[in-house]
Amino acid sequence: MTRHIEFERLYNFRDLGGYPSGDGRTLRWGRLYRSDALSKLAGEDLARFRALGVRTVIDLRYPWEIATRGRVPESEGLAYHNLSIEQRPVDQPALGAEVEPVRFFADLHAEVAQDGAGELRQVLELIAADGNGPLVFHCAAGKDRTGLVAALVLALMGVGEEDIVADYALSEPATLRMVADGVAGGRDPQGVWPGFGLAPAESMRMFLAWLKDEYGSVEGYARERLGAGQGLVEELRTRLLE
């Protein structure tokens, strides 16, 4: 099976299937996808997307991003949800060269995990709900907000830390290609923060370590911060594992 699904206008559309859980099962292929902004879908790309049979789209962007750049094209039978998990917008391309990327992204994940608890719980509930799959969640580049959701879901499925970190790091080549193609908020790529587009593996390791320090585990975070009990976790596992 192929993890990266090729589109002309999307850079970071991936299937989360195939990762092993801690109980001998694996994540189902063709059930859960992650992506950059689906508002770019058109023509053959849109036909290719519709052929995947996606029933539910979760858009993690701010409403103003959607108003400015659009949303996934409407399709019969496609449910759309906007759950903006980030509360404090950061203009990453405009950051100064002195900002260190590894610490920045680790802190950003922790901030969103705290601020967006209500929305993150709703994301998990939608993924767990019967009849919502196949499902894709996305933000603008499919790296930070999307990467956080992917990490939480994979961890709750019992996927090992190295696989979670590796999945996060897979976004870097795709996002750097976006920057190289000039997709950096209209800015000249030469003037963009050097950390923009990076997905440092160590950032995800630091974030997972922070969750463990604060809550004992990712399940502890889901239970204590998100109010997501064992029942919701088991529903997720029923939907996603085989």
Side-chain angles (χ1 to χ4, degrees):
M1 300 293 288
T2 301
R3 185 163 309 286
H4 285 269
I5 298 176
E6 293 297 324
F7 291 88
E8 289 295 321
R9 302 181 68 183
L10 298 181
Y11 293 79
N12 202 12
F13 195 105
R14 308 206 305 266
D15 193 326
L16 284 172
Y19 286 119
S21 71
D23 61 2
R25 293 182 289 175
T26 59
L27 268 75
R28 292 188 174 98
W29 291 99
R31 166 69 197 192
L32 187 64
Y33 301 98
R34 53 175 295 172
S35 181
D36 47 324
L38 298 179
S39 52
K40 296 177 286 186
L41 287 170
E44 291 184 6
D45 272 0
L46 182 56
R48 187 175 294 116
F49 172 77
R50 287 173 172 162
L52 294 174
V54 172
R55 295 180 181 177
T56 307
V57 169
I58 302 176
D59 191 334
L60 304 172
R61 296 175 299 163
Y62 289 97
W64 61 262
E65 291 179 276
I66 298 164
T68 302
R69 298 166 190 156
R71 47 152 284 181
V72 63
E74 294 187 16
S75 299
E76 184 178 354
L78 181 67
Y80 173 81
H81 305 268
N82 177 212
L83 293 168
S84 179
I85 63 173
E86 187 178 276
Q87 308 298 317
R88 292 177 259 181
V90 178
D91 187 359
Q92 287 188 29
L95 293 175
E98 74 281 358
V99 177
E100 198 282 313
V102 172
R103 181 78 263 174
F104 171 82
F105 288 116
D107 289 345
L108 178 64
H109 299 326
E111 177 184 288
V112 175
Q114 294 283 60
D115 290 352
E119 290 81 4
L120 285 166
R121 179 191 169 115
Q122 291 178 71
V123 169
L124 296 181
E125 289 173 340
L126 285 169
I127 295 172
D130 188 21
N132 278 356
L135 180 149
V136 56
F137 55 92
H138 76 89
C139 56
K143 180 173 75 72
D144 299 322
R145 290 167 285 187
T146 297
L148 169 60
V149 171
L152 294 179
V153 171
L154 293 177
L156 291 172
M157 296 303 96
V159 173
E161 180 174 315
E162 287 308 307
D163 282 334
I164 296 170
V165 168
D167 184 79
Y168 173 70
L170 279 175
S171 285
E172 186 167 306
T175 314
L176 289 177
R177 190 157 54 92
M178 288 179 66
V179 175
D181 286 352
V183 186
R187 295 176 175 83
D188 178 352
Q190 297 301 315
V192 171
W193 174 50
F196 184 65
L198 299 184
E202 189 58 26
S203 297
M204 182 54 66
R205 287 195 184 92
M206 291 169 65
F207 169 62
L208 294 173
W210 174 81
L211 284 176
K212 185 176 181 179
D213 288 343
E214 292 290 318
Y215 298 98
S217 65
V218 176
E219 284 196 31
Y221 160 77
R223 181 175 58 254
E224 295 176 30
R225 184 66 183 177
L226 306 186
Q230 189 61 32
L232 178 55
V233 174
E234 289 303 321
E235 287 177 9
L236 281 166
R237 291 175 176 167
T238 297
R239 300 285 173 251
L240 299 180
L241 295 178
E242 62 180 2

